[in-house]
Amino acid sequence: MRTIAELEAIARERMEPAHYDYYAGGSGDEATLRANEEEFRRRVLVPRVLRGVGKRDLAVEIAGSPLSMPVLVCPTAFHRLAHSDGELATAQATAEAGAVFVCSMASTTAVEDVAKVADVLWFQLYVQSDREFTESVISRAENAGARALVVTADSAVRGRREREHRHAFHDLPPGLAAENMRDSTGRVRDIEMPAGLTWDDLIWLRNTTKMPVLLKGVVHPEDARRAVEAGIDGIFVSNHGGRQLDGAISSLAALPAIVSVVDGQVPLILDGGVRSGADVVKALALGADAVGVGRPVLWGLAAAGQEGVAEVLERLREETDTALGLCGARTPGELTADLVR
């Protein structure tokens, strides 16, 4: 089984440079992109011994969805840039791993087709200024069988990503489109990231769907408090993988204050910088209920299609199980903050 770093090296060789940099890059000088991983390296585990960990169970439940391990596949755009099978390969491998696949609004495969091979499917949404169109997209996801809605809220202004400008990569290649943005006429709309969204829009959205709604892109504890008050069913502690505000706090550094404010009222999912099972255990010990991974899955997809995604998820499962046992825990719920320094 290859490491995630080895899969990334293969992916870089196989992908068009502009497409690799689209996935790999962050905003500005990419300080926050680096900080997401560096924060995990800065913190170390302090294992416990003689804890009777012979039988371990990684399974958790988040927002009513069962997971065989505390790892989700985060929403990432345009999987067919990485491999011709695109989101279908990713969703199939994720289903076989017993994990949640969060289908991006910017998927190059329609959510209806993804749902045919996915098991536990969530759908990621950017709220559009056209409420009627937004409702139609939500309805498509619901009718396809999505079990939760993940609303990305950290994109009021799009971060400047130097790598994309360097390659002049601003449009998909011919034959590819953001299929979930097709309207009733068949036209593919541009994805808007309206700057005028407020908490009132979130409350409107909460009343628009019966699916659990999770808010993605929270790093400030006050926003976490307001999300709970608004009836949100879960929070992604996330800085958009370092792709929005360069110089923002890393996801892991933001986690403890949000854990304190939320106090177990809703599940917390951390994404940004997770590259190993030890990283998973660090995040769980500090209060996350699960983690999300994005780029590692894309590297697996680009390197070896469905098999590569499966390889990434299996490695994370094995490493998480090992780290869990060596820290003296049998389940994710037994991890405590004193295990991390």
Side-chain angles (χ1 to χ4, degrees):
M1 189 182 296
R2 292 163 289 188
T3 67
I4 289 172
E6 288 169 339
L7 289 168
E8 180 179 358
I10 296 169
R12 187 169 193 168
E13 290 178 359
R14 294 186 175 179
M15 295 180 70
E16 291 287 336
H19 301 166
Y20 170 82
D21 277 346
Y22 173 76
Y23 287 145
S27 62
D29 292 330
E30 301 186 343
T32 298
L33 174 69
R34 293 188 296 274
N36 278 343
E37 293 188 47
E38 289 167 357
E39 189 70 25
F40 278 102
R41 287 194 290 268
R42 190 177 70 81
R43 297 175 185 252
V44 295
L45 291 167
V46 186
R48 299 293 303 274
V49 298
L50 303 176
R51 306 270 285 184
V53 295
K55 186 176 182 181
R56 297 175 298 283
D57 183 3
L58 299 182
V60 296
E61 183 175 298
I62 306 292
S65 294
L67 291 77
S68 69
M69 58 178 170
V71 176
L72 299 87
V73 174
C74 272
T76 47
F78 311 144
H79 285 207
R80 289 182 64 197
L81 291 178
H83 191 278
S84 59
D85 292 338
E87 288 82 5
L88 295 179
T90 309
Q92 181 69 56
T94 305
E96 292 175 357
V100 168
F101 177 68
V102 187
C103 181
S104 171
M105 193 172 191
S107 169
T108 42
T109 308
V111 64
E112 293 86 353
D113 294 325
V114 173
K116 294 174 184 176
V117 299
D119 182 10
V120 183
L121 177 68
W122 294 0
F123 185 79
Q124 178 260 344
L125 178 78
Y126 291 105
V127 178
Q128 304 295 282
S129 58
D130 184 335
R131 291 269 179 104
E132 184 177 349
F133 178 72
T134 301
E135 289 178 345
S136 72
V137 173
I138 295 170
S139 294
R140 285 181 60 187
E142 283 180 326
N143 293 337
R147 301 193 192 185
L149 192 65
V150 177
V151 181
T152 297
D154 59 6
S155 301
V157 177
R158 193 179 190 277
R160 180 179 174 86
R161 301 165 196 167
E162 298 300 337
R163 299 200 208 191
E164 294 174 31
H165 287 283
R166 191 179 310 136
H167 291 291
F169 179 65
H170 304 302
D171 294 296
L172 287 171
L176 298 184
E179 294 295 341
N180 294 322
M181 291 300 296
R182 289 193 186 276
D183 60 23
S184 59
T185 70
R187 176 174 65 96
V188 178
R189 299 189 180 200
D190 292 333
I191 297 177
E192 293 179 86
M193 298 179 183
L197 292 179
T198 69
W199 290 99
D200 289 339
D201 295 290
L202 189 65
I203 293 169
W204 165 81
L205 185 66
R206 190 69 194 84
N207 294 326
T208 300
T209 178
K210 296 179 180 178
M211 290 187 287
V213 176
L214 296 91
L215 188 65
K216 188 175 189 298
V218 176
V219 291
H220 197 294
E222 179 62 15
D223 287 337
R225 183 189 65 79
R226 293 199 66 174
V228 172
E229 290 179 349
I232 285 299
D233 299 292
I235 293 170
F236 279 74
V237 181
S238 170
N239 56 32
H240 212 108
R243 293 168 67 81
Q244 285 296 93
L245 176 62
D246 195 36
I249 189 172
S250 72
S251 297
L252 190 64
L255 178 62
I258 292 176
V259 170
S260 179
V261 166
V262 171
D263 194 26
Q265 295 176 82
V266 299
L268 299 177
I269 301 160
L270 178 138
D271 77 69
V274 175
R275 297 295 182 267
S276 71
D279 292 345
V280 175
V281 167
K282 289 174 187 178
L284 298 180
L286 290 175
D289 296 284
V291 304
V293 290
R295 289 183 178 94
V297 167
L298 293 169
W299 306 145
L301 178 65
Q306 181 180 329
E307 180 182 334
V309 176
E311 200 171 332
V312 168
L313 295 176
E314 185 56 31
R315 172 172 282 277
L316 288 173
R317 181 193 307 281
E318 291 185 8
E319 291 179 350
T320 300
D321 179 69
T322 298
L324 188 76
L326 290 176
C327 284
R330 291 167 295 177
T331 67
E334 292 183 0
L335 294 167
T336 50
D338 62 293
L339 296 170
V340 182
R341 289 184 192 165

